[in-house]
Amino acid sequence: MSVRSWIANEGGKFLVLMLWLGVNTWMFLNTFLLFSSGEQYYYLYKMLGLGLCISRASASVLNLNCSLVLLPMCRSLLKFIRGTHTVSSRKTRRMLDKYKTFHVACGLAICIFSAIHVSAHLANAANFSTSYSEEFPSLNVARYRGEDPKWIILTTIPGVTGIVLVLILFLMLMSSSNCVRSFNYEIFWYTHNLFIVFYIVLMVHMVGGVLKYQTNIEAHPPGCLTANQSNMDPQAKEMEKADNEERRCTEEAHFQGHYPQTWIWLSGPLCLYCAERFFRYIRSCDPVTIVTVIRHPCNVIELQMLKNKFAARSGQYILLNCPAVSSFENHPFTLTTCPTENKKTFSIHLRIVGDWTERFTQLLLTGSRTDMKTLPMVQHRKYPKIYVDGPFGSPSEDVFNYDVSLCVAGGIGVTPFACMLHTLLDRGWTHFRLQRLYFVWVCSELQSFYWFAELLCSVHHKLWQENRPDYFNMKLYVSQTDSLENMSAKYRPLTSRLLVGRPRWKLLLNELGKTNKHKRIGVFCCGPKAISRTLHRFCNSFQSSETVFEFNKESFS
C-alpha cells in the first residue's frame, strides 16, 4: 500500500476519527475520576461503588454523541459549507462528504455506551437495595433495605424513561441494518424517525434526582466523625484524639439531586436541526410541475420537472416525496439535468427497484398507452403531486475542480455524471479547471447505454469540432453480450468504445498514472459496492511518487 495515496484518501477521515475518539475517551475518564474521587460523591460512591462511576462516565459520552449525531443530518448546512469556497477547501469538502460515516459512528457509540450505561445502572439499583444507608436516608433511592431492584427501576422517572429509551434505540438499531433497509425501506424510515420521541424522553430522563451529591463539604468533610460516633464508639474516640479538629463534623451531611444537564448538550444541535428541517419544509411545500415522463429501456423512467426559483449545480441531488405513495418517505435522486438560463426544467432518472419506485411509476403512467415513449402535456392533471427538497451537495460536484478526473459509473449510477456532461455540453470546457476527463460506464445490458447515448455522442462530437478529442476519454463495458451487434448505427462513437467484460482497474489506473504524471487525479464512483470497494482499494495502493488518485464515492441517506 502506498503511504502517500493512503494519506490522500484516508488521512483526513482518520484524523477526525482519532480526534473524536480522543474527546470521547477524555470525557469518559474525566467523569469517571470525578465520581470516584470527588469529595461531593464520597458517600454515594461508598454505597454504589464502580457502578456509579461507569454509569456517569458513559452518560457523559452519550450526551456528547447524542448532540453530534444530529449535525451530519443538517443537509442544508453541509451544502452551504461545501458551496462556500472561501471557507471550504477541496480537502474539507471531501471530509464533509463522509458525513454519513460520522453519523453511523456516533450512532454505534450511542448503542455501545447505552448498553454500558444500562448495565451500570442495573448494578446501582441492586446496590441501592443491598447497601441501604441507615445513616443518610435522603441518599437512598430504595425505600428500605432489601427492596426489589425491579421496583426501584419501575417506580422512578429515570428507570421508566430508561426502559423506553432502550426499546426505541433497539428498534432504530435493528431497522438500520442493510438487510432491513434493502428488504423494506419503510420500516427503516419510520423507526428512524422515532429519534424525535427518543430526544424528548432523553431530556426527561434525568428528572427526579436519583443520584445525589453532598452540598456542605466544608461543614461536613467526607468521612468525618459525628458527635454520636464519638460517644458510642471507643475506637472512634481514639481516632478523634489523634486527628485534628477539621476531622470533626459541625453539621449533618446534606444531599441534593443533580440538575438535569442533558438538555444543555442537546438544545443547540436540536434547535439547529429543527430550524433546518423547518427551512426545508417551507422551501419544498410547493409541488413541482411535471413536464414530461419518458420511459427508457431496462425499467428506467425519466422525469422532467419545473419549479420556481430552483437552482442547482451538476452533481447535486434532490429528495423526492410523493404523498400518494407515502406521506413521509423522501427518496434521494441525482439530478441528470440542471436548470439553465435557456431551459428552466430539471430532470432525474429512476430505476424501478423496490415497492416505492413501483408504486410511484404506476401513478405516473396511469392512463397512458404502454407503447408511448413520451406522455403528452394534456395529461398533466393525472400526474400525482410531487414535492422536491433540495438540491444538496455530493462528491460529484468536484469533478470540475481537478485537472484530471476519472468518473466510474455502474448501471443507473451514471446519473451524476450525466448531469456533469450536460453542463459540459451547455457551457463548454473552457469555463472549468478540468483539462481531461476519463469516463467509464459498466452495465450488464447493452440497452442500458441508450439512457444517455445521445448525450455521450453529442459531447463527443462537440469536442471533436472544437479540436479537443483528447479531452473526453470514454470506455463502455457490457457484461452480457446478447444482441451486441444490434446497437444503432447512429451511435457509432459508442460502438467503437464498447468493450465486453469488466474493467481491469489496476491496469486502467496504471495507464492513467503514466499519462498524467505529477497530477492529483480525482476518482469519482457511483455504482454497486463491488466496484467502489475494488476501485477504492486500488486508489489507496497505487504505487507512485508522481501521481495520486483521490477517491470520491457517492453516498445518499
Side-chain angles (χ1 to χ4, degrees), residues 279-420:
F279 165 74
R280 286 168 52 187
Y281 171 77
I282 296 299
R283 183 178 61 179
S284 62
C285 63
D286 293 329
V288 299
T289 301
I290 299 176
V291 177
T292 309
V293 178
I294 302 175
R295 190 198 303 272
H296 289 286
C298 304
N299 290 326
V300 169
I301 300 295
E302 179 182 354
L303 190 61
Q304 296 181 7
M305 297 166 281
L306 182 65
K307 183 180 179 180
N308 292 330
K309 299 180 181 179
F310 182 85
R313 295 190 296 270
S314 61
Q316 294 184 331
Y317 70 98
I318 59 173
L319 294 177
L320 192 145
N321 173 266
C322 180
V325 179
S326 176
S327 299
F328 301 104
E329 284 190 56
N330 297 274
H331 290 266
F333 294 98
T334 310
L335 293 171
T336 48
T337 59
C338 293
T340 62
E341 293 182 1
N342 301 323
K343 189 177 181 182
K344 300 300 180 181
T345 59
F346 61 96
S347 65
I348 61 170
H349 284 62
L350 60 95
R351 191 164 193 171
I352 306 173
V353 179
D355 296 338
W356 190 91
T357 51
E358 286 182 3
R359 294 199 298 269
F360 180 58
T361 305
Q362 288 172 2
L363 290 173
L364 288 177
L365 302 179
T366 298
S368 65
R369 289 166 45 195
T370 56
D371 60 339
M372 292 184 65
K373 181 180 180 182
T374 305
L375 301 185
M377 295 283 288
V378 294
Q379 291 191 1
H380 277 181
R381 294 179 182 177
K382 293 185 179 181
Y383 291 141
K385 281 189 176 181
I386 297 176
Y387 299 90
V388 166
D389 184 14
F392 303 104
S394 76
S396 295
E397 286 187 76
D398 275 328
V399 167
F400 294 118
N401 293 327
Y402 287 88
D403 293 328
V404 180
S405 288
L406 166 64
C407 297
V408 178
I412 196 63
V414 72
T415 51
F417 310 127
C419 190
M420 175 264 299

Side-chain angles (χ1 to χ4, degrees), residues 95-135:
M95 282 195 289
L96 289 173
D97 292 331
K98 306 291 184 182
Y99 71 93
K100 185 180 177 182
T101 303
F102 185 69
H103 176 75
V104 172
C106 290
L108 288 175
I110 291 171
C111 293
I112 292 170
F113 282 95
S114 291
I116 296 172
H117 185 71
V118 169
S119 301
H121 269 315
L122 290 176
N124 289 339
N127 286 328
F128 271 125
S129 176
T130 58
S131 303
Y132 185 87
S133 176
E134 303 287 353
E135 185 179 3

Side-chain angles (χ1 to χ4, degrees), residues 415-431:
T415 51
F417 310 127
C419 190
M420 175 264 299
L421 291 176
H422 273 293
T423 303
L424 195 63
L425 193 62
D426 293 337
R427 300 184 59 188
W429 59 274
T430 56
H431 291 83

